[in-house]
Amino acid sequence: MTTDAKFLEAIAAIVGSDAVLSGEAAAPHFKDWRGRYTGKAIGVVFPSDTQQVSEVVKYCAAHKVAIVPQGGNTSLCGASVPLADGGRQIVVNLSRMNRLRALDAVNYTMTVEAGCKLASLYDAPEQADRLFPLGLTAIAPHCEIGGNLSTNAGGLNVLRYGTARNLVLGLEVVLPDGRIWDGLRSLRKDNTGYDLKQLFIGAEGTLGIITAAVLKLFPLPKSVATACIAVRDPAAAVALLAHLRATCGDTISAFELISRSCLDLVFKHIPDAREPFDAKHEWIVITQLADVLPAPLDGPLRFALNTFGDGIIESGITTNRDDAERWWKLRKNIAEAQKAEGISIKHDVSVPISRAAEFIAEASAALRTAYPGIRIVAFGHLGDGNIHYNVSMPDAARNKAFIERHEQDVHHLVYEVVAKLDGSISAEHGLGQLKREEITHYKSALELELMRGIKHTLDPHGLMNPGKVI
Amino acid sequence: MTTDAKFLEAIAAIVGSDAVLSGEAAAPHFKDWRGRYTGKAIGVVFPSDTQQVSEVVKYCAAHKVAIVPQGGNTSLCGASVPLADGGRQIVVNLSRMNRLRALDAVNYTMTVEAGCKLASLYDAPEQADRLFPLGLTAIAPHCEIGGNLSTNAGGLNVLRYGTARNLVLGLEVVLPDGRIWDGLRSLRKDNTGYDLKQLFIGAEGTLGIITAAVLKLFPLPKSVATACIAVRDPAAAVALLAHLRATCGDTISAFELISRSCLDLVFKHIPDAREPFDAKHEWIVITQLADVLPAPLDGPLRFALNTFGDGIIESGITTNRDDAERWWKLRKNIAEAQKAEGISIKHDVSVPISRAAEFIAEASAALRTAYPGIRIVAFGHLGDGNIHYNVSMPDAARNKAFIERHEQDVHHLVYEVVAKLDGSISAEHGLGQLKREEITHYKSALELELMRGIKHTLDPHGLMNPGKVI
């Protein structure tokens, strides 16, 4: 029996033999969602509870086998798959740990296991007249909450409810040596030393495996109004957002900017998608107001748009769910439409909201000068300064060669504008494998040193998700 | 010249001789606000900018002199004063670093230096139609934002806006070796590795000195309604809060519970304080709704109270500022009234909101059995599960002896109930010197080990605020 086979046998003794895969059966777990990274590992293990995770990790630590924590495997930066040349590794997939452990409607919290699909976490709160507000688009049906927390997921509702980090009150974590840290508190205030949970949120599994979490719930909105607004340019959108917040407050739960190039792709590839207005506009905004108070919100929204002044070309407002969904369909299908169109050079960047228009203008001007005819697909969560900014050549044949030759140059050009505007080269997708090297150019040596210090303190043997983040 | 005098001379060469105090002049900075701790240090230094802080810390590190960061010196747990027997230490007071560096109304952020008084941080946002929501009561006129962040301050508005941690987008920190970490980002989304700023928030100055921060601003509320509600008991208050959130949403910005014993103290010691109702009630709640939308909120508030069902004895609602202030005066003067009455055994605890009534009932029953005639002054931020729970004997002469003899036993009894209900023995005041030993009984050995690991990584020589927290 090979060393690997013996190893898997020992792991199977912990979790049961139906909970270990190797060879062909394991292969899908070594490949990321985008098909960009294919790694190698001894196998995949599917523990059923925290105790099993702990024992698996202890065994791995004792045998110096590295661990790749995996949830829905929808990482967009390759954090949830093993390296191709990372030595002896095993994937620990949390999908079987998918229990809702508790829901406390009075405390507005629920306790969930890491393997719960995000999409499964809306119903129980809703039954209790509560909202769990983490809302993603493209990966929503597949991703799991453990991965969402490990990447500090963002999505559509950050403007109103914050990123995943802001939704966590407590964590349970299996540390790199296999010990279980029970930090499953459900307190809004607890100032008793360093807030350890913050370390694991957004660490992409490099400091330990999140096995469960206490998540905040919110009152369920009863009144919703949605607007689709053609704006003159991104600068008008930025000003409109500040105005809307000042007049409608935190009823604004989403504010998304979409460029003409996105709309054109959606109309080309998505059946039943329709122009929101008779005229074609270069930039549209879709924004949503939602409130627990049942008073209709279309009036305040209309008032806010009417008092904005210059910059709005035309707009529509609805409180009808189906009408709103038709607009949202435009936004939610951009990723799908892009996929159908072919590959592109993608950026998930953020800048201060007040500089978002500057970013789009400067990056686009520089790209158009450097690469005449380039197509820029810009859209995103303007409400939190996060722009998805993707670049390709409209001609498919030419595009492939363009990307092969110029991908790094395009990244560099875009990231330099981001850096100049004090932005981030990874707003919500994380670093994973994809940006691990790139980030070293944009973070200070001191910050990288501090990160390495933390990593070494928690994972001195470097066994937890090696080759990711740092 | 003594070693200490030479040391201060070198420090004066960095900051100027008018920015160094020693002897009698420095003494007030060695004593905490409550007068509970009096420490010893070589002197106090008042740097004017981050560069000076950096140079001072570098000099201290080179000479193995420990550093006590200090802001308004309003710590309630002795974190901001030197130990009495802590070896060679110097107090680094940030009060001269009190510039508002920037306000970006479109990004809803402001960049402030650590020495800005909290009370000074409301005006500039308000001029720009923005709100900075951190609201404390007793220490408000004196405390500084650097200290607020270092203790992750809570206060009245946590229910709506979160603790200080939730209000921070970026930090500038002088590390224990004197290097400056520039993490002054103003991004809502930035997933590029470990979120280092989280380490320094709430660390009570034990990992570095916060010198500046980027803080979130919010839309300024235009409509406010306040209610004073006599409730049957704390359980009714807990249920009412859940109901109010479900019907009025996050317009609820405060929900404070006050016991009869608090009210009696306020009426005894605070001039012009008046009973809110003709009848005397055992428990009252003061709650506030605030919204950016200008629609009046008294209607929704009345509707919510009317639909609550059993548990409300009587209630009043107002949208008039002066009327509301008369009610708030009752809440805001509790600390003052207690001070006038004499010393007490204080607890700043939190439990899940759903268990707050259980906490009060169990702790009070146990105390009354153990110490007949005891007076329990319970009040606080029920909206976030944080109860200030103070205990004394009504008779002043007897009280002193009672506290001397039983303080530790009373703490123990209260904290055991807190622990049973998965609560925290320090909800918002931190650990400082006061609870550094106590917390070791209520945190797991593993958690303490992780905290020590972090401390050692960032401050290997233990020079940053020694003897506090860990």
Side-chain angles (χ1 to χ4, degrees), chain B residues 209-220:
Chain B
I209 303 178
I210 295 174
T211 50
V214 179
L215 302 171
K216 282 192 216 169
L217 302 177
F218 292 82
L220 195 65

Side-chain angles (χ1 to χ4, degrees), chain B residues 80-384:
Chain B
S80 60
V81 291
L83 295 187
D85 52 357
R88 297 186 77 213
Q89 298 173 83
I90 189 167
V91 172
V92 176
N93 185 297
L94 280 290
S95 303
R96 285 196 187 181
M97 287 189 60
N98 60 0
R99 283 165 291 250
L100 175 69
R101 288 194 194 162
L103 191 149
D104 182 342
V106 172
N107 198 40
Y108 283 74
T109 50
M110 64 176 171
T111 308
V112 303
E113 292 184 342
C116 290
K117 280 198 191 305
L118 175 61
S120 78
L121 292 179
Y122 303 124
D123 273 2
E126 211 166 312
Q127 300 291 324
D129 197 28
R130 302 291 180 260
L131 170 76
F132 179 61
L134 187 64
L136 305 180
T137 50
I139 63 170
H142 315 290
C143 63
E144 296 173 6
I145 189 69
N148 300 145
L149 301 181
S150 292
T151 53
N152 184 26
L156 295 171
N157 301 325
V158 170
L159 168 63
R160 171 70 189 79
Y161 297 99
T163 61
R165 182 181 302 280
N166 301 104
L167 305 176
V168 179
L169 290 181
L171 283 186
E172 178 186 81
V173 177
V174 173
L175 298 172
D177 60 10
R179 289 185 295 175
I180 300 166
W181 173 56
D182 178 2
L184 275 183
R185 301 181 186 112
S186 52
L187 304 172
R188 256 104 187 147
K189 280 184 179 172
D190 175 25
N191 280 343
T192 54
Y194 310 150
D195 191 358
L196 298 173
K197 67 177 178 290
Q198 304 293 348
L199 286 171
F200 304 101
I201 301 167
E204 305 185 38
T206 61
L207 299 177
I209 303 178
I210 295 174
T211 50
V214 179
L215 302 171
K216 282 192 216 169
L217 302 177
F218 292 82
L220 195 65
K222 304 293 190 301
S223 178
V224 175
T226 309
C228 184
I229 307 153
V231 292
R232 193 179 45 215
D233 52 27
V238 166
L240 175 61
L241 170 63
H243 171 73
L244 270 183
R245 288 194 74 190
T247 43
C248 300
D250 287 321
T251 54
I252 307 181
S253 51
F255 190 96
E256 298 284 316
L257 179 69
I258 307 174
S259 69
R260 165 57 42 191
S261 54
C262 300
L263 293 174
D264 285 343
L265 286 184
V266 171
F267 299 137
K268 182 171 169 189
H269 295 288
I270 306 297
D272 302 331
R274 286 202 322 235
E275 284 281 355
F277 303 104
D278 292 337
K280 285 189 168 193
H281 298 290
E282 282 304 301
W283 294 95
I284 68 162
V285 161
I286 303 176
T287 187
Q288 183 183 283
L289 267 54
D291 203 354
V292 172
L293 291 174
L297 288 167
D298 50 341
L301 185 49
R302 189 163 294 114
F303 176 81
L305 296 183
N306 288 341
T307 53
F308 175 59
D310 198 35
I312 294 179
I313 302 172
E314 59 176 317
S315 65
I317 293 176
T318 186
T319 56
N320 177 293
R321 206 181 177 130
D322 293 337
D323 290 344
E325 207 38 58
R326 264 192 290 278
W327 287 334
W328 279 118
K329 196 177 174 181
L330 302 176
R331 168 66 186 87
K332 290 176 181 169
N333 278 298
I334 295 173
E336 196 62 30
Q338 281 188 105
K339 218 172 184 174
E341 181 74 6
I343 52 175
S344 62
I345 306 174
K346 292 182 195 295
H347 308 89
D348 160 47
V349 302
S350 68
V351 291
I353 299 167
S354 49
R355 313 197 79 174
E358 239 173 304
F359 164 73
I360 294 174
E362 287 197 25
S364 303
L367 283 170
R368 287 192 176 113
T369 303
Y371 309 105
I374 204 169
R375 174 168 59 200
I376 296 166
V377 173
F379 63 101
H381 319 300
L382 194 65
D384 50 54

